[in-house]
Amino acid sequence: MDSAQRYNEEKKYSGSSGPRATIRLSGGGRYAGSCGQVMMNAELQAQVTFDVASIRADFPILARTIYRQRPLVYFDNASTTQHPQTVLAAMERMYRERYANVHRGIHYLSEQASAAYEAARETVRALIGAERAHEIIFTSGTTASINLVARSWGDANVGPGDEILLTIAEHHSNIVPWQQLAARRGALVRFCELSFDPEADLESFRRQLSSKTRIAAFSAVSNVLGYRFPVKEMVAAARQAGARTLIDAAQHVPHEPTNVRDWGCDFLAFSGHKMLGPTGIGVLYGKESLLDAMPPFLGGGSMIQSVTRDGFVPGELPAKFEAGTPPIVEAIGLAAAADYLSEIGFERISEHERILVQRMHARLGEVAAVHILGPACAHKGGIVGFGVTGTSHFDLAVHLDLQGYAVRLGHHCAMPLHQFLGRHDSLRASFYLYNTLAEVDGFVEALQAALQHLRG
Ligand SMILES: Cc1ncc(COP(=O)(O)O)c(C=O)c1O
């Protein structure tokens, strides 16, 4: 559907839409308690632990309207997130006042830029509880971080007959690099199927581990279902089997407290743009002893100690894995985002999302033909994936968009998961700290109106 068609569709649709919720935290009506149970507004309101209205005021984009003056309701946070003023200001200030290349000059600006870049690394170290700043490698995102490990650690440590263990819920970023590694090295990729009950899934995971498993790579939170994996226990089981672990924390670090030492994982990857930061910056955490032993992945400037006609000597960590000019301003933006989130508190952010998910589960339960996918909300982060029987998901997503609701439709880069669930695609609403209960209510009402309209 092009924009002209959308405009016409909107004109048709606007006469029959359901009530459009205003953006507010409290108001009349019921709110959801635990999955499926409905709680009074005041009860749930009392659980909200921070002032969402003042948080929203920090995000300029949330004040804008779309189409015909409809408030924007942004439920596509698992894909990418919006930016608070502090992140925008930190990046602008860096470009305006301190911009130069890092680690390459002795001039004033270069020194300032280098100091800011290394301070950003320290901020990320503290964010995930790593022991040493040089265990933090800046990359372009989760995808780049996982590819780095699969290429550098994988080529050196995985051989014919070895196994790589994944779960069926992985994002393609945590599947394809391992499939490529397996093809290069004659290894096998195994998938742990899931029941979305953490205890049962931990058992299945254990059963798939063997002395052949060289690495287990899995997400902390599924980007489709919001399923929270029992990370610490899975890491311990893999370690007991003699396997290394990589955690795809793209949907965890932005939303909950993360501590790599508590988890005991070997590697961890996440992206800046899913946590209020800019695109083009991500993080690979690796244990020092592993990173030290790994060969560089990309070759070029900055990653060497010396180069002669005959070869090169790689530099120390973290430079060894940061060839070329790094994403300097993006790293400053990521650090500003981490500071913003830390100040609010990750416990409170995850609690807020839990309340939104509970409400969404309860309200979607009232809509006939809607099937929520995956686990009960007790085992979920702030993501709700669902399907609707008998109506085109595409048409629904377009109608919701015309009402101002940004949700995602498709396989969400998790085709094996959808094959496992016996589905071609799904709809996904994913929340963040700036979303409100009123938005959830408005969404379900808009969904009901869209279903009524489409079914005629
Ligand atoms: C769980 C998970 N892993 C990996 C990725 C890939 O992240 P990026 O595109 O920032 O590299 C995503 C993005 O949606 C994700 O949700």
Side-chain angles (χ1 to χ4, degrees), residues 273-292:
H273 69 100
K274 293 183 196 290
M275 51 176 289
L276 312 182
T279 54
I281 180 87
V283 171
L284 170 68
Y285 157 80
K287 281 186 179 155
E288 181 188 51
S289 56
L290 291 171
L291 292 175
D292 259 340

Side-chain angles (χ1 to χ4, degrees), residues 79-95:
S79 179
T80 197
T81 55
Q82 302 299 343
H83 307 96
Q85 195 58 53
T86 51
V87 169
L88 302 172
M91 293 179 72
E92 188 185 343
R93 178 161 180 242
M94 189 68 197
Y95 274 125

